[in-house]
Amino acid sequence: MNDNTIPTQLIQTLRTAKQVVVLTGAGISAESGVPTFRDAQTGLWAKYDPMDLATPEAFQRDPRLVWEWYTWRRELVAKAPPNLGHLALVNMQTYLPKFTLITQNVDGLHQRAGSQQVIELHGNLTRSKCVNEHIVDSWQTADELPPRCPHCEQILRPDVVWFGEFLQEQTLYKAMKTVEQCDLIFSVGTSSLVQPAASLPFIALEHGAKLVEINPDSTPLTPHVHFVLYGKSGAILPKLVDLTW
Ligand code: OAD
């Protein structure tokens, strides 16, 4: 099925929902020109080995390489405009009494589109931090890379969660509490493979929420959902909002 038909029952459910959560992944930014991770050919992990670029050990081994790779991604994201999918979620939040956006993305595109109070599970690559946990969004570009923290002179790293690292406890707690309370949850543009994010829809299900997936492909979550909308989020989300309100 790929005809972008939105079931009437889903429209009714969304219209009457009291608390809605949308969990997004890299797929929602694909139409902005930001590569996903696991898509064959175009995904970042098809070209780069995450063990060389996205682990604390990789950073210890070669901080400059890791820093430069994130600089490339930061520049790519800075040029990428939010797309119709991001904008539809901004609209959605205006119609719903309680709406929470939880993202695995580190690109900041939801906020640039206008979404408020986004829970960023994996951090944000536009920010950096040092070993002393000073979070900074600007730093001196020096010959030395990575640059140093303006507060303590330790070297900076991107403020993102790497493989082998824990999510920030409070962020995860907030996300879990929110999904426990929602009555409708969307999983948009994520392969549903990375934990703990992939567990969030299941927590919502256990607490009685209806679950919707938006993705061009099936994922491990698909057999568990109430509604699956196969296709691109930039096409489906605006249509869903238009039909609902
Ligand atoms: P993935 O790359 O694993 O999955 C992207 C998903 O988006 C796939 O299921 C695609 O089918 C789908 N997709 C592609 N284009 C789409 C479109 N236009 N509209 C909707 N969906 C589309 O990305 P994530 O699931 O976000 O972690 O990956 C999870 C985490 O793994 C990332 O946050 C990152 C990565 O390693 C960290 O950086 C810590």
Side-chain angles (χ1 to χ4, degrees):
M1 185 178 84
N2 197 1
D3 60 2
N4 278 0
T5 307
I6 313 253
T8 316
Q9 214 190 332
L10 170 57
I11 295 169
Q12 284 303 337
T13 307
L14 180 55
R15 218 174 259 155
T16 53
K18 294 191 172 58
Q19 186 157 356
V20 175
V21 169
V22 177
L23 169 68
T24 64
I28 196 160
S29 296
E31 289 155 82
S32 296
V34 180
T36 62
F37 295 94
R38 292 175 185 77
D39 279 291
Q41 317 292 331
T42 54
L44 287 176
W45 300 152
K47 294 189 194 132
Y48 305 98
D49 184 344
M51 295 304 126
D52 291 339
L53 297 162
T55 66
E57 294 77 20
F59 188 66
Q60 241 174 5
R61 249 189 336 265
D62 196 341
R64 187 181 181 116
L65 176 81
V66 172
W67 181 266
E68 287 182 332
W69 189 66
Y70 277 92
T71 301
W72 167 71
R73 285 182 60 197
R74 202 180 299 121
E75 287 170 1
L76 191 152
V77 159
K79 283 187 231 141
N83 66 53
L84 294 175
H86 297 111
L87 295 170
L89 293 180
V90 180
N91 275 338
M92 205 188 258
Q93 92 195 351
T94 65
Y95 291 111
L96 287 159
K98 276 189 173 176
F99 176 86
T100 308
L101 186 48
I102 304 175
T103 190
Q104 295 165 83
N105 298 345
V106 296
D107 57 28
L109 281 173
H110 284 304
Q111 292 90 330
R112 274 172 53 204
S115 285
Q116 285 152 17
Q117 292 169 354
V118 182
I119 301 179
E120 294 180 311
L121 294 175
H122 294 163
N124 189 314
L125 57 65
T126 63
R127 296 187 304 257
S128 290
K129 64 180 180 185
C130 65
V131 283
N132 296 321
E133 295 291 326
H134 292 125
I135 310 280
V136 294
D137 52 20
S138 64
W139 47 86
Q140 290 276 326
T141 36
D143 292 340
E144 185 192 20
L145 288 178
R148 294 202 171 253
C149 172
H151 306 289
C152 68
E153 290 294 306
Q154 296 290 329
I155 61 169
L156 290 172
R157 55 162 280 182
D159 184 19
V160 298
V161 178
W162 280 329
F163 287 100
E165 292 185 320
F166 291 110
L167 271 64
Q168 224 206 15
E169 207 175 315
Q170 273 184 354
T171 307
L172 181 59
Y173 180 78
K174 200 168 158 193
M176 288 171 75
K177 281 284 150 214
T178 310
V179 298
E180 278 176 14
Q181 288 158 8
C182 74
D183 50 356
L184 178 61
I185 179 164
F186 289 82
S187 174
V188 182
T190 171
S191 57
S192 297
L193 289 170
V194 174
Q195 294 294 353
S199 298
L200 295 174
F202 288 99
I203 296 173
L205 271 182
E206 280 161 21
H207 285 79
K210 291 273 187 281
L211 171 56
V212 188
E213 184 175 52
I214 300 177
N215 199 308
D217 295 321
S218 295
T219 74
L221 187 66
T222 315
H224 305 275
V225 306
H226 295 93
F227 303 97
V228 56
L229 304 174
Y230 284 112
K232 295 183 174 184
S233 44
I236 293 177
L237 283 169
K239 191 169 169 183
L240 178 64
V241 172
D242 279 356
L243 289 171
T244 307
W245 293 286

